[in-house]
């Protein structure tokens, strides 16, 4: 078991890695910006107007979004894994990501690929699927974690079926390509207005889950144990899932679907903190931020053309999961 001193060391190390990757991410792109120029920009020094425009209008909002998206997906992923007591649980386990994908697909096919409409419908689709999952789960006399998982699988299958219908009628030259690109995720279109749109929902979801940290940890216990400790399972589980889904929906409505980020960050944190606690959730958020900042840097720097963000997150995620599986087999996790 990891001691408190070692936990603090992991938090400090991961925090430093996040800060370093954030600085590097600010510099990489078709228009490189040096460390000295960044320092001048932040201290009011003299820099070319084009550099100032690129930094404040594009590079800084994109990098902050990568930080928030990684932290939010990693945090939500750990909450889902804890609440569902399932190491394979991810932010799309209750269908939020699939609902957001469906909303974006509807916007692309029916509303002319308007960015504002796509964002609105993606967010609305994610939250609508969440409410449907809650409704289906409540049809059971005694909703449990398994009930929510099954309801999420049903809603995800329904969303995917509707997306396939939309793909069938989509214009292959324009709409189909946009749907595919959105489904692979990208931070290329993030501006300050996108960031401002996400921020209120992100803050509500993140702070809400933090305030419920004691109840979240208790939801990771068996239902009988949690009830003994005074947790109102139905209402607390519903509120926690709603806040986690709000966090995810606010992110993917702007970035598109990002593969593996919400799954591998909790596993990476678990390799460091072997005791499941709220500290593990917070470290998962830091790990997620680091992973997505590195992935965004790779997406812009690996080739001349920017690649979808899900490509580097998958390339990072697969080895991490394989290593985690090997550690579990050897009894080290």
């Amino acid at each position: 078991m990891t001691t408190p001193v070692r936990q603090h060391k992991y938090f400090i190390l991961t925090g430093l890695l996040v800060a370093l990757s954030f600085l590097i991410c600010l510099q990489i792109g078709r228009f490189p910006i040096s460390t000295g120029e960044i320092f001048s920009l932040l201290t009011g020094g003299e820099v070319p107007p084009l550099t100032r425009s690129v930094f404040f209008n594009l590079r800084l909002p994109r990098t902050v979004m990568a930080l928030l998206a990684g932290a939010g997906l990693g945090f939500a992923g750990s909450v889902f894994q804890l609440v569902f007591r399932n190491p394979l649980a991810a932010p799309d386990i209750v269908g939020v990501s699939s609902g957001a994908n469906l909303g974006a697909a509807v916007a692309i096919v029916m509303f002319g690929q308007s960015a504002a409409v796509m964002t609105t419908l993606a967010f609305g689709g994610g939250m609508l699927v969440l409410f449907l999952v809650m409704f289906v789960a409540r049809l059971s006399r005694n909703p449990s974690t398994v009930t929510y998982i099954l309801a999420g699988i049903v809603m995800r299958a329904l969303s995917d079926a509707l997306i396939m219908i939309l793909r069938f009628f989509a214009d292959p030259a324009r709409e189909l390509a946009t749907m595919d690109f959105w489904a692979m995720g990208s931070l290329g279109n993030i501006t300050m207005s996108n960031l401002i749109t996400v921020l209120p929902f992100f803050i509500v979801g993140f702070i809400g889950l933090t305030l419920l940290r004691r109840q979240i940890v208790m939801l990771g216990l068996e239902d009988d144990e949690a009830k003994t400790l005074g947790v109102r399972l139905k209402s607390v589980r519903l509120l926690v899932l709603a806040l986690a889904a709000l966090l995810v929906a606010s992110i993917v409505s702007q970035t598109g679907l990002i593969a593996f980020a919400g799954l591998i960050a909790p596993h990476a944190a678990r390799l460091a903190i072997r005791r499941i606690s709220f500290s593990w959730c917070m470290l998962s958020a830091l790990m997620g931020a680091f992973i997505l900042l590195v992935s965004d840097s790779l997406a812009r720097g690996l080739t001349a053309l920017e690649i979808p963000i899900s490509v580097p997150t998958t390339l990072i995620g697969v080895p991490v999961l394989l290593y985690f599986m090997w550690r579990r087999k050897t009894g080290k996790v």
Side-chain angles (χ1 to χ4, degrees):
M1 184 179 295
T2 308
T3 63
V5 174
R6 289 191 65 184
Q7 282 190 28
H8 292 154
K9 289 181 179 179
Y10 284 125
F11 272 98
I12 293 172
L13 176 61
T14 309
L16 291 174
L17 288 174
V18 169
L20 178 61
S21 58
F22 185 86
L23 178 61
I24 293 173
C25 199
L26 285 173
Q27 300 178 53
I28 295 176
R30 293 185 182 180
F31 189 89
I33 301 176
S34 67
T35 305
E37 288 175 322
I38 292 174
F39 181 77
S40 296
L41 285 163
L42 296 178
T43 56
E46 289 294 327
V47 293
L50 180 59
T51 302
R52 181 179 296 276
S53 177
V54 169
F55 180 79
F56 285 110
N57 295 328
L58 299 174
R59 193 67 52 78
L60 183 60
R62 175 178 182 150
T63 305
V64 173
M65 178 64 81
L67 175 72
L68 294 180
L73 293 174
F75 189 37
S78 64
V79 169
F80 282 126
Q81 289 187 18
L82 200 155
V83 171
F84 291 117
R85 300 190 290 272
N86 185 341
L88 295 178
D92 60 350
I93 194 170
V94 291
V96 178
S97 297
S98 296
N101 195 14
L102 175 60
V106 170
I108 292 168
V109 174
M110 297 184 178
F111 296 97
Q113 304 182 41
S114 166
V117 175
M118 193 185 306
T119 297
T120 302
L121 290 188
F123 181 80
M127 296 309 296
L128 175 62
V129 168
L130 171 69
F131 290 133
L132 290 174
V133 168
M134 300 300 180
F135 175 75
V136 172
R138 301 281 287 190
L139 293 178
S140 172
R141 292 182 59 186
N142 187 23
S144 63
T145 54
V146 175
T147 309
Y148 283 98
I149 291 174
L150 292 175
I153 292 172
V154 170
M155 289 298 110
R156 180 175 180 179
L158 178 60
S159 298
D160 291 344
L162 294 175
I163 289 170
M164 284 188 281
I165 294 174
L166 291 170
R167 289 173 63 88
F168 181 79
F169 290 104
D171 178 4
R174 297 181 302 107
E175 297 169 348
L176 196 57
T178 304
M179 290 170 69
D180 289 338
F181 191 77
W182 197 92
M184 291 186 287
S186 174
L187 298 173
N189 296 320
I190 299 299
T191 61
M192 189 60 74
S193 62
N194 298 109
L195 189 61
I196 293 172
T197 300
V198 166
L199 211 53
F201 300 104
F202 182 92
I203 292 172
V204 169
F206 203 98
I207 293 180
L209 290 173
T210 302
L211 294 175
L212 291 171
R213 57 189 179 275
R214 179 175 172 272
Q215 289 86 344
I216 291 173
V217 173
M218 289 184 180
L219 287 176
L221 304 173
E222 295 296 331
D223 288 356
D224 291 339
E225 294 181 71
K227 288 179 180 178
T228 303
L229 293 171
V231 178
R232 300 173 61 184
L233 285 178
K234 292 182 181 180
S235 56
V236 172
R237 185 183 288 130
L238 183 67
L239 180 58
V240 168
L241 291 178
L243 288 171
L246 177 66
L247 198 58
V248 174
S250 66
I251 293 166
V252 299
S253 67
Q254 302 292 332
T255 65
L257 304 185
I258 302 177
F260 274 97
L263 182 62
I264 58 176
H267 285 294
R270 191 173 297 183
L271 293 173
I273 299 180
R274 299 179 187 177
R275 183 170 64 90
I276 302 302
S277 63
F278 195 76
S279 296
W280 167 63
C281 295
M282 298 306 295
L283 186 60
S284 297
L286 282 175
M287 289 283 190
F290 172 65
I291 290 168
L292 212 61
L293 285 168
V294 171
S295 297
D296 190 40
S297 298
L298 293 174
R300 282 179 277 167
L302 281 178
T303 63
L305 295 175
E306 182 177 329
I307 61 177
I309 191 70
S310 288
V311 175
T313 56
T314 302
L315 292 176
I316 294 172
V318 170
V320 171
L321 289 180
L322 289 175
Y323 180 66
F324 183 78
M325 291 168 60
W326 175 78
R327 293 282 296 239
R328 282 180 66 89
K329 181 180 179 180
T330 57
K332 297 180 180 179
V333 177

